[in-house]
Amino acid sequence: MNINKFGGASLKDAKRIENVVEIVKTQIKSPGVIVVSAIGKTTNALEKVHKAYVEGNSQGAFEILGQIKNDHYKLCQELFSEKELEKIIHDLNDTFVEIEWILEEELSDGPNFIYDQIISIGELVSSKILAARLNQETVTATWLDARDVIRTDNTYRNASIEWKETKDLVNQFIPNICAQSDFCVTQGFIGGTSENFTTTLGREGSDFTAAILANSLNADGVTVWKDVPGVMNADPNLMKDAQLLKNISYNEALAMTYYGAKVIHPKTIKPLMQSSIPLRVKSFVNPEAEGTYVGALESELKYPSILVQEPNNILLKITSKDNSFIRERHLAEIFTLMNESGLVLKLDQNKPEYLTLCVGDPYSNIEKFDKDASANFNVEITEPVDLITVRHGDEADILSQLIGKKILHKIIAQDTIQYVTVN
Ligand code: ASP
Ligand code: MG
């Protein structure tokens, strides 16, 4: 059995959805699982609904939601015949109404809880549309609510997987579905707690869902369909002569995603590696092309230099107010505070003068961290900074890529060189 994942870009309009239907019909063996993200930029739009609501602007929230609903209905008009249209619109209405119920009430739950209840609707509706559309073809598709199988803790917005329960549930539901229909269509990015509340796994988490399902089912492989030819040795938008990497090891992929390569979600590789399940990254624009194979390789390949550039990070220089070096107890306190603020560590280096950290701040909590940490530490913050990581590169080559940037920090470790830069 294989898991195929289609992201928002591959579903962004009716033409793209028809393209996905074509890929499913011609490129994907049944039975299999299809995991989808929300359509196009729906998740960003739903975040705006959430923001307006938690800021007390329910009317604004309703207006943005109205636009999202309209976009989905318009799409359905292009995809479905009159008879089918009524059914799917009814189904979508029943799903969107969950948000309307929230918006009608005064805010009483925590914002992260509300976030997950609102944002998850994007995946619920996209998967319903794709399942219904596939059923108009010669293939059969059964829609599965991912919240029934992806069991998580209740860390809303960034839930952790309860692996044992998830494995049991996945194996209870999916093989049965696949015995009866060609494809099981489900949502990426969302899960459910044991109390049946909806959670999300962190932005762009749909790839991770595909890996969780693959690991749980001991699948033959995972394919993620992207708008790029596969995994490249640099972002093709930033480097003109970026080249496709045809084969990379799990370890290389882990390193690339850890340092910020956007093509695969960072949590995706480990569950696949653990069960030796290969990952293919393919282009939905050119589905016949091979793309990239990520898996166990006989020996590490000779890679070209691989450059991963991640903007919008934060550089921290930390000293302790007790005039001592930064020692283990300081590190324990700093990392605890980082964890509480959801900061994501990208680079760390401790020196006698100060501790340098480069972090991502997905939840915009840097001010909170600064306030909490300033009880015992002096924190110097520089933002935004780029984190540029080069693997297998020689320094001269790399410096030519950094022309015009100011280098604030540099670390060299074996085959990895990292720079923190500002423009
Ligand atoms: N729709 C979610 C997001 O945009 C999850 C995903 O795309 O993987 O973050
Ligand atoms: Mg996405």
Side-chain angles (χ1 to χ4, degrees):
M1 163 128 51
N2 282 284
I3 318 293
N4 281 269
K5 181 254 165 172
F6 292 95
S10 69
L11 302 165
K12 77 168 192 203
D13 54 32
K15 224 168 108 207
R16 288 266 171 100
I17 294 177
E18 297 294 3
N19 176 55
V20 168
V21 170
E22 204 48 38
I23 291 176
V24 173
K25 279 168 47 189
T26 59
Q27 306 279 325
I28 300 182
K29 270 204 230 113
S30 68
V33 181
I34 297 171
V35 175
V36 297
S37 304
I39 287 168
K41 300 275 178 228
T42 304
T43 306
N44 292 352
L46 287 167
E47 280 190 341
K48 291 194 185 123
V49 173
H50 170 258
K51 184 161 185 284
Y53 173 65
V54 297
E55 285 172 355
N57 177 10
S58 289
Q59 199 201 329
F62 267 112
E63 276 164 26
I64 307 165
L65 178 62
Q67 186 60 49
I68 297 171
K69 285 171 68 174
N70 264 337
D71 291 345
H72 281 76
Y73 296 156
K74 264 202 230 132
L75 193 65
C76 289
Q77 279 162 358
E78 291 180 57
L79 289 171
F80 294 96
S81 62
E82 196 94 342
K83 196 170 119 240
E84 293 297 320
L85 188 63
E86 200 180 321
K87 224 164 70 202
I88 183 78
I89 298 283
H90 185 82
D91 205 5
L92 296 195
N93 270 335
D94 274 356
T95 314
F96 281 122
V97 79
E98 307 259 346
I99 303 183
E100 286 158 8
W101 286 334
I102 295 171
L103 302 186
E104 276 159 14
E105 299 286 323
E106 290 282 303
L107 179 66
S108 59
D109 293 299
N112 290 348
F113 172 83
I114 297 288
Y115 178 96
D116 285 358
Q117 314 315 303
I118 292 178
I119 304 303
S120 53
I121 301 296
E123 268 68 13
L124 290 167
V125 290
S126 65
S127 56
K128 287 186 174 180
I129 292 172
L130 184 64
R133 182 63 193 77
L134 283 171
N135 276 322
Q136 295 198 317
E137 303 289 321
T138 46
V139 294
T140 53
T142 300
W143 183 84
L144 170 70
D145 191 329
R147 297 169 299 183
D148 290 339
V149 295
I150 304 288
R151 182 65 70 242
T152 72
D153 69 0
N154 61 0
T155 313
Y156 296 102
R157 262 187 106 150
N158 187 23
S160 292
I161 301 300
E162 311 273 10
W163 278 96
K164 168 137 192 359
E165 290 80 354
T166 299
K167 276 189 188 177
D168 289 349
L169 289 163
V170 165
N171 283 292
Q172 204 176 305
F173 279 83
I174 293 183
N176 279 340
I177 292 176
C178 287
Q180 284 160 34
S181 60
D182 296 323
F183 297 105
C184 169
V185 178
T186 193
Q187 309 80 50
F189 175 60
I190 75 172
T193 67
S194 56
E195 287 167 314
N196 279 328
F197 290 116
T198 305
T199 52
T200 62
L201 310 179
R203 287 296 311 262
E204 305 301 331
S206 294
D207 292 356
F208 182 36
T209 303
I212 297 164
L213 295 176
N215 176 293
S216 302
L217 290 163
N218 206 4
D220 299 318
V222 172
T223 304
V224 294
W225 297 87
K226 298 273 167 182
D227 55 0
V228 288
V231 179
M232 317 284 286
N233 73 327
D235 181 340
N237 297 319
L238 300 172
M239 207 206 270
K240 267 207 286 344
D241 51 0
Q243 28 170 317
L244 176 70
L245 300 166
K246 288 196 172 145
N247 293 290
I248 55 176
S249 66
Y250 289 120
N251 282 330
E252 194 58 37
L254 272 180
M256 290 178 74
T257 60
Y258 180 81
Y259 295 125
K262 287 280 170 288
V263 62
I264 313 165
H265 187 273
K267 291 184 187 165
T268 309
I269 304 296
K270 285 228 164 143
L272 299 180
M273 187 172 169
Q274 194 203 25
S275 304
S276 303
I277 299 168
L279 169 70
R280 283 187 184 73
V281 181
K282 287 179 58 117
S283 159
F284 62 74
V285 188
N286 188 7
E288 319 254 301
E290 292 256 332
T292 299
Y293 170 92
V294 182
L297 300 178
E298 304 258 296
S299 58
E300 277 295 329
L301 297 171
K302 176 104 191 60
Y303 295 103
S305 37
I306 296 178
L307 185 133
V308 180
Q309 176 162 353
E310 190 179 45
N312 294 323
N313 285 303
I314 302 173
L315 183 68
L316 303 172
K317 278 189 182 172
I318 302 179
T319 55
S320 91
K321 285 190 172 167
D322 65 12
N323 289 321
S324 67
F325 298 128
I326 299 277
R327 307 275 22 166
E328 292 70 16
R329 67 190 162 82
H330 302 105
L331 291 170
E333 181 178 345
I334 292 164
F335 285 125
T336 302
L337 296 175
M338 279 172 59
N339 184 40
E340 285 166 9
S341 290
L343 299 184
V344 181
L345 182 65
K346 304 288 170 73
L347 167 154
D348 60 298
Q349 189 174 46
N350 200 8
K351 286 203 178 157
E353 311 88 294
Y354 47 77
L355 168 71
T356 303
L357 302 173
C358 183
V359 299
D361 182 19
Y363 308 107
S364 304
N365 276 341
I366 193 66
E367 275 176 32
K368 169 180 157 39
F369 171 80
D370 188 21
K371 193 161 148 271
D372 296 346
S374 65
N376 294 322
F377 302 96
N378 303 304
V379 183
E380 186 189 311
I381 298 177
T382 311
E383 68 171 322
V385 295
D386 287 354
L387 175 65
I388 298 176
T389 303
V390 184
R391 311 240 320 138
H392 322 289
D394 86 45
E395 252 211 291
D397 274 11
I398 296 157
L399 289 173
S400 68
Q401 301 289 334
L402 302 184
I403 289 168
K405 293 178 183 282
K406 187 170 163 213
I407 298 173
L408 302 178
H409 194 81
K410 170 178 156 188
I411 294 186
I412 302 189
Q414 286 178 320
D415 48 9
T416 305
I417 310 179
Q418 292 189 286
Y419 300 89
V420 178
T421 68
V422 281
N423 285 331

